PDB file of all heavy atoms in Angstrom:
ATOM      1  N   THR A1309      92.155  57.421 120.374  1.00 58.00           N
ATOM      2  CA  THR A1309      92.957  56.652 121.335  1.00 58.00           C
ATOM      3  C   THR A1309      94.364  57.214 121.444  1.00 58.00           C
ATOM      4  O   THR A1309      94.903  57.375 122.540  1.00 58.00           O
ATOM      5  CB  THR A1309      93.017  55.181 120.905  1.00 58.00           C
ATOM      6  OG1 THR A1309      91.695  54.659 120.807  1.00 58.00           O
ATOM      7  CG2 THR A1309      93.813  54.373 121.920  1.00 58.00           C
ATOM      8  N   ASN A1310      94.963  57.544 120.285  1.00 57.00           N
ATOM      9  CA  ASN A1310      96.303  58.128 120.292  1.00 57.00           C
ATOM     10  C   ASN A1310      96.317  59.474 120.994  1.00 57.00           C
ATOM     11  O   ASN A1310      97.256  59.804 121.722  1.00 57.00           O
ATOM     12  CB  ASN A1310      96.812  58.285 118.856  1.00 57.00           C
ATOM     13  CG  ASN A1310      97.085  56.941 118.196  1.00 57.00           C
ATOM     14  OD1 ASN A1310      97.327  55.956 118.880  1.00 57.00           O
ATOM     15  ND2 ASN A1310      97.032  56.909 116.872  1.00 57.00           N
ATOM     16  N   SER A1311      95.262  60.255 120.764  1.00 57.00           N
ATOM     17  CA  SER A1311      95.176  61.572 121.406  1.00 57.00           C
ATOM     18  C   SER A1311      95.073  61.433 122.919  1.00 57.00           C
ATOM     19  O   SER A1311      95.743  62.154 123.669  1.00 57.00           O
ATOM     20  CB  SER A1311      93.966  62.335 120.853  1.00 57.00           C
ATOM     21  OG  SER A1311      93.822  63.568 121.501  1.00 57.00           O
ATOM     22  N   ASN A1312      94.234  60.501 123.387  1.00 63.00           N
ATOM     23  CA  ASN A1312      94.088  60.276 124.828  1.00 63.00           C
ATOM     24  C   ASN A1312      95.390  59.767 125.438  1.00 63.00           C
ATOM     25  O   ASN A1312      95.755  60.148 126.558  1.00 63.00           O
ATOM     26  CB  ASN A1312      92.967  59.266 125.092  1.00 63.00           C
ATOM     27  CG  ASN A1312      91.597  59.827 124.741  1.00 63.00           C
ATOM     28  OD1 ASN A1312      91.401  61.041 124.760  1.00 63.00           O
ATOM     29  ND2 ASN A1312      90.657  58.958 124.432  1.00 63.00           N
ATOM     30  N   SER A1313      96.101  58.922 124.691  1.00 68.00           N
ATOM     31  CA  SER A1313      97.378  58.410 125.181  1.00 68.00           C
ATOM     32  C   SER A1313      98.402  59.533 125.334  1.00 68.00           C
ATOM     33  O   SER A1313      99.134  59.585 126.323  1.00 68.00           O
ATOM     34  CB  SER A1313      97.906  57.343 124.216  1.00 68.00           C
ATOM     35  OG  SER A1313      99.183  56.892 124.614  1.00 68.00           O
ATOM     36  N   LYS A1314      98.442  60.460 124.356  1.00 67.00           N
ATOM     37  CA  LYS A1314      99.372  61.570 124.440  1.00 67.00           C
ATOM     38  C   LYS A1314      99.023  62.500 125.595  1.00 67.00           C
ATOM     39  O   LYS A1314      99.912  63.029 126.272  1.00 67.00           O
ATOM     40  CB  LYS A1314      99.368  62.344 123.122  1.00 67.00           C
ATOM     41  CG  LYS A1314      99.997  61.578 121.970  1.00 67.00           C
ATOM     42  CD  LYS A1314      99.980  62.396 120.695  1.00 67.00           C
ATOM     43  CE  LYS A1314     100.634  61.621 119.545  1.00 67.00           C
ATOM     44  NZ  LYS A1314     100.606  62.396 118.276  1.00 67.00           N
ATOM     45  N   LEU A1315      97.718  62.690 125.834  1.00 69.00           N
ATOM     46  CA  LEU A1315      97.304  63.523 126.959  1.00 69.00           C
ATOM     47  C   LEU A1315      97.727  62.908 128.283  1.00 69.00           C
ATOM     48  O   LEU A1315      98.211  63.601 129.184  1.00 69.00           O
ATOM     49  CB  LEU A1315      95.783  63.726 126.930  1.00 69.00           C
ATOM     50  CG  LEU A1315      95.240  64.743 125.916  1.00 69.00           C
ATOM     51  CD1 LEU A1315      93.715  64.756 125.934  1.00 69.00           C
ATOM     52  CD2 LEU A1315      95.781  66.136 126.214  1.00 69.00           C
ATOM     53  N   ARG A1316      97.554  61.583 128.413  1.00 73.00           N
ATOM     54  CA  ARG A1316      97.960  60.905 129.648  1.00 73.00           C
ATOM     55  C   ARG A1316      99.470  61.012 129.840  1.00 73.00           C
ATOM     56  O   ARG A1316      99.948  61.220 130.962  1.00 73.00           O
ATOM     57  CB  ARG A1316      97.519  59.441 129.596  1.00 73.00           C
ATOM     58  CG  ARG A1316      96.021  59.226 129.819  1.00 73.00           C
ATOM     59  CD  ARG A1316      95.714  57.771 130.127  1.00 73.00           C
ATOM     60  NE  ARG A1316      96.051  56.918 128.982  1.00 73.00           N
ATOM     61  CZ  ARG A1316      95.191  56.581 128.028  1.00 73.00           C
ATOM     62  NH1 ARG A1316      93.953  57.053 128.061  1.00 73.00           N
ATOM     63  NH2 ARG A1316      95.564  55.788 127.032  1.00 73.00           N
ATOM     64  N   GLN A1317     100.224  60.877 128.757  1.00 71.00           N
ATOM     65  CA  GLN A1317     101.674  61.013 128.860  1.00 71.00           C
ATOM     66  C   GLN A1317     102.072  62.425 129.282  1.00 71.00           C
ATOM     67  O   GLN A1317     103.005  62.612 130.067  1.00 71.00           O
ATOM     68  CB  GLN A1317     102.317  60.668 127.509  1.00 71.00           C
ATOM     69  CG  GLN A1317     102.226  59.197 127.143  1.00 71.00           C
ATOM     70  CD  GLN A1317     102.834  58.927 125.769  1.00 71.00           C
ATOM     71  OE1 GLN A1317     103.354  59.824 125.126  1.00 71.00           O
ATOM     72  NE2 GLN A1317     102.741  57.677 125.320  1.00 71.00           N
ATOM     73  N   PHE A1318     101.353  63.434 128.760  1.00 65.00           N
ATOM     74  CA  PHE A1318     101.663  64.823 129.111  1.00 65.00           C
ATOM     75  C   PHE A1318     101.403  65.075 130.590  1.00 65.00           C
ATOM     76  O   PHE A1318     102.239  65.651 131.299  1.00 65.00           O
ATOM     77  CB  PHE A1318     100.827  65.773 128.255  1.00 65.00           C
ATOM     78  CG  PHE A1318     100.954  67.212 128.683  1.00 65.00           C
ATOM     79  CD1 PHE A1318     102.097  67.944 128.381  1.00 65.00           C
ATOM     80  CD2 PHE A1318      99.934  67.829 129.389  1.00 65.00           C
ATOM     81  CE1 PHE A1318     102.217  69.268 128.786  1.00 65.00           C
ATOM     82  CE2 PHE A1318     100.050  69.149 129.792  1.00 65.00           C
ATOM     83  CZ  PHE A1318     101.187  69.868 129.489  1.00 65.00           C
ATOM     84  N   PHE A1319     100.236  64.663 131.080  1.00 66.00           N
ATOM     85  CA  PHE A1319      99.886  64.916 132.479  1.00 66.00           C
ATOM     86  C   PHE A1319     100.729  64.086 133.442  1.00 66.00           C
ATOM     87  O   PHE A1319     100.808  64.405 134.632  1.00 66.00           O
ATOM     88  CB  PHE A1319      98.398  64.640 132.717  1.00 66.00           C
ATOM     89  CG  PHE A1319      97.496  65.681 132.101  1.00 66.00           C
ATOM     90  CD1 PHE A1319      96.539  65.327 131.166  1.00 66.00           C
ATOM     91  CD2 PHE A1319      97.621  67.006 132.458  1.00 66.00           C
ATOM     92  CE1 PHE A1319      95.714  66.278 130.595  1.00 66.00           C
ATOM     93  CE2 PHE A1319      96.795  67.980 131.898  1.00 66.00           C
ATOM     94  CZ  PHE A1319      95.840  67.607 130.957  1.00 66.00           C
TER      95      PHE A1319
END
Side-chain angles (χ1 to χ4, degrees):
T1309 302
N1310 291 336
S1311 177
N1312 292 334
S1313 176
K1314 290 181 179 179
L1315 283 176
R1316 285 195 296 268
Q1317 290 178 2
F1318 172 75
F1319 288 121

